[in-house]
Amino acid sequence: MTGTKRGGSFYDAPQVAERYLGHRHSGASSPNHVMEEPAFLEELGEVTGLRVLDLGCGDAAIAQVLLDAGCRSYLGLDGSAAMVDAANAALCGTAGRVEMADIEDFSAPPSSFDLVVSRLAFHYVEDIEPVLAALHGCLSPGGRIVFTVVHPVLTSHDSGVRDKRTSWVVDDYFLQGPREREWMGGTVTWFHRTIEDYVVALTRSGFSLSSLRECAPCEARFAGDADELARRLRVPLFLLLSGMRA
Ligand SMILES: C[S@@+](CC[C@H](N)C(=O)[O-])C[C@H]1O[C@@H](n2cnc3c(N)ncnc32)[C@H](O)[C@@H]1O
């Protein structure tokens, strides 16, 4: 895949960032809101005094939550100019910062950060192990990483479902590699890895595995919509892993 545009560029195609952010912040109809975010916030734990790095930060909506919870600093990185603009708007007047950069190029001196987060960005990265190794190297001892990706059940195969999803076909599961999808009005490339691949990449990079979650829906976030909850109980959409630097 050398020479292929990196993941951030997808969000700079006309209307993609706008469409994505509209969907992302649509409340109970957003799977991020009812599935990914509750698990992510539970796994974050105490952030007071921590220097936080967020890879593929998008509009950096999480920054305010982290700053309000007392983190010492927040740096978001994103490869999309449109997303960096949105993040700059969200961070205006806060102590948070955002920079435009590709995840694949990340490097920082040892002990630069205490907590790395990345939400739904690592499945855009072809080779995740060098990235995880660089993140391990930039964390302070005892530092943590918490990240989410689109669930491998979904990235394995395109079932062709474009509307409300109630079931999914899993196929080519053990074939690691790129998958093209029609998504958010464009063609995106995601990189499929199995759950095992993610765990092995994390532990080979020097992290001890702290948690693995499949982000089951959080009933309290459905505003009483029982049908939507029932639908979300059918197919896993997100995988969360967290690890610690010894
Ligand atoms: C699905 S969005 C998630 C945004 C944000 N983390 C959230 O949860 O709302 C994925 C983000 O990752 C960024 N991204 C994808 N591939 C990237 C790469 N290789 N380097 C830097 N950013 C990337 C995109 O620009 C986009 O903002």
Side-chain angles (χ1 to χ4, degrees):
M1 293 296 290
T2 309
T4 305
K5 283 185 175 176
R6 285 171 169 175
S9 64
F10 169 71
Y11 289 81
D12 287 333
Q15 266 99 60
V16 168
E18 196 184 333
R19 202 166 157 173
Y20 171 75
L21 290 173
H23 171 73
R24 173 80 177 78
H25 297 300
S26 62
S29 64
S30 162
N32 306 57
H33 177 72
V34 295
M35 299 172 85
E36 188 259 0
E37 188 165 280
F40 176 79
L41 292 176
E42 277 177 27
E43 291 305 324
L44 259 188
E46 184 58 64
V47 300
T48 308
L50 302 187
R51 298 162 298 166
V52 181
L53 171 69
D54 183 359
L55 293 181
C57 65
D59 68 351
I62 191 66
Q64 193 63 62
V65 175
L66 294 165
L67 290 163
D68 288 348
C71 76
R72 189 183 346 160
S73 62
Y74 171 91
L75 173 64
L77 300 184
D78 203 282
S80 153
M83 285 300 195
V84 169
D85 285 350
N88 269 320
L91 294 171
C92 182
T94 77
R97 287 192 304 122
V98 62
E99 290 175 11
M100 186 160 165
D102 284 336
I103 291 169
E104 293 86 339
D105 299 334
F106 172 78
S107 74
S111 290
S112 300
F113 299 98
D114 309 302
L115 173 65
V116 174
V117 298
S118 180
R119 299 172 71 191
L120 302 171
F122 282 173
H123 55 283
Y124 290 85
V125 175
E126 182 169 14
D127 192 0
I128 199 66
E129 207 173 304
V131 172
L132 291 170
L135 295 172
H136 184 267
C138 83
L139 277 168
S140 52
R144 294 180 295 128
I145 182 168
V146 182
F147 70 90
T148 58
V149 289
V150 170
H151 198 291
V153 159
L154 288 200
T155 56
S156 68
H157 173 76
D158 188 355
S159 290
V161 178
R162 296 284 172 262
D163 203 8
K164 292 207 162 193
R165 179 189 298 126
T166 55
S167 63
W168 197 256
V169 173
V170 177
D171 200 355
D172 294 329
Y173 186 75
F174 294 106
L175 283 180
Q176 197 185 105
R179 305 287 199 271
E180 285 201 345
R181 288 282 185 283
E182 297 309 308
W183 188 67
M184 295 288 151
T187 305
V188 69
T189 302
W190 290 341
F191 290 92
H192 170 70
R193 286 175 272 272
T194 66
I195 295 177
E196 181 177 330
D197 293 333
Y198 278 111
V199 171
V200 167
L202 189 70
T203 53
R204 268 204 208 138
S205 308
F207 289 98
S208 56
L209 179 67
S210 311
S211 174
L212 185 158
R213 297 186 55 167
E214 293 179 290
C215 305
C218 168
E219 188 172 349
R221 289 195 170 210
F222 283 83
D225 188 339
D227 290 344
E228 185 69 355
L229 172 61
R231 186 171 82 88
R232 292 300 186 199
L233 283 165
R234 298 185 70 164
V235 181
L237 305 186
F238 306 108
L239 173 69
L240 179 151
L241 291 174
S242 74
M244 183 174 283
R245 185 199 158 125

